[in-house]
Amino acid sequence: MKIYPAIDLKDGACVRLRKGEMDDATVFNDDPAAQARAFAAAGFDRLHVVDLNGAFAGRPVNAAAVEAILAATAVPVQLGGGIRDLDTVALWLDRGIARVVLGTMAVKQPDLVREACAKWPGRIALGIDARGGRVAVEGWAQTGELPAEELARRFEGAGAAAIVFTDIDRDGILAGVNVAATAALARAVSIPVIASGGVAGVEDIVALQAEVDAGARIDGVIVGRALYDGRIDPAAALQAAARC
């Protein structure tokens, strides 16, 4: 199982939101490139980056910060936020992003997402963000009635590399990852799932590991606030994940 340290970008800085609320942000580092280097130096071999302003604006906003991260380290970067058309997908892949995460597009432009999966094999992930089990889009500002598992099933066989599944109600508040919902989704479809939202300690990684051992296709976990505030030691996290 892979560990993805999170770098969430708001106004050019690394922040963590509480439950996706843009007006409830804590700034942890005003130099995203330095944060990327620190994560790489700690032994992490991949990063999860989100352009939060872009997610609300529907277009890239923190492009300069993303490019600084790409220039600062050689580890693969997975990027989401504000990617709403194929031209933007192509732009980021051409600039060195290893994988893009498409969330709002998966709901509103599913045919384009399928086209992207076919055009860039292994480089497109689905972002499924849920509040109360229902999918939210547009930077989590809009929650509809579509169940997360139903959205995932619509992309079976499309060639998506992964599903990044976020429990919005737990995101950024250290409430513990929603192991049950993550495992249920990972068993409902054949697409590997990356868990996100609420990771508070190594015990969350161990709990996900148990689901992997039981057959759930959980491929990784995104860790944010718990790394920034020292609740999770990077070496311990990597050791726990290596046992998966």
Side-chain angles (χ1 to χ4, degrees):
M1 198 166 67
K2 306 173 184 70
I3 304 288
Y4 293 80
I7 298 180
D8 289 357
L9 300 169
K10 179 175 184 268
D11 303 331
C14 302
V15 307
R16 294 302 295 167
L17 305 183
R18 288 173 58 85
K19 298 185 180 182
E21 296 294 334
M22 284 289 275
D23 58 358
D24 193 355
T26 302
V27 177
F28 283 99
N29 195 330
D30 60 6
D31 187 340
Q35 186 62 61
R37 285 192 295 269
F39 281 142
F44 296 107
D45 60 0
R46 63 202 70 235
L47 296 171
H48 178 77
V49 178
V50 179
D51 181 349
L52 294 172
N53 300 101
F56 282 89
R59 56 178 176 77
V61 175
N62 286 287
V66 175
E67 290 175 354
I69 290 168
L70 290 171
T73 176
V75 303
V77 173
Q78 176 175 276
L79 174 68
I83 305 172
R84 304 287 166 81
D85 55 61
L86 295 185
D87 287 342
T88 306
V89 173
L91 179 148
W92 281 123
L93 295 179
D94 288 346
R95 291 187 182 181
I97 291 296
R99 180 190 288 169
V100 299
V101 182
L102 304 179
T104 297
M105 276 185 71
V107 176
K108 297 190 172 183
Q109 298 173 291
D111 289 342
L112 285 183
V113 173
R114 293 187 184 94
E115 183 179 341
C117 290
K119 187 172 183 178
W120 295 288
R123 303 186 73 184
I124 306 297
L126 306 176
I128 298 183
D129 308 321
R131 183 180 283 112
R134 306 292 175 173
V135 176
V137 296
E138 303 289 353
W140 302 352
Q142 301 175 14
T143 303
E145 295 300 319
L146 179 64
E149 288 186 20
E150 173 58 28
L151 178 59
R153 289 192 184 97
R154 293 179 183 181
F155 289 92
E156 279 280 38
I163 293 170
V164 177
F165 174 65
T166 303
D167 184 331
I168 298 169
D169 292 325
R170 296 180 182 230
D171 193 64
I173 63 169
L174 301 168
V177 71
N178 192 334
V179 176
T182 303
L185 180 63
R187 289 187 170 92
V189 295
S190 62
I191 308 167
V193 173
I194 298 170
S196 176
V199 175
V202 172
E203 62 272 14
D204 286 308
I205 299 171
V206 173
L208 290 169
Q209 173 190 338
E211 295 294 343
V212 174
D213 293 341
R217 297 196 65 181
I218 302 172
D219 186 59
V221 57
I222 294 168
V223 186
R225 188 179 290 267
L227 278 175
Y228 285 99
D229 69 8
R231 291 172 185 259
I232 290 183
D233 174 68
L238 290 166
Q239 184 178 17
R243 293 199 298 269
C244 295

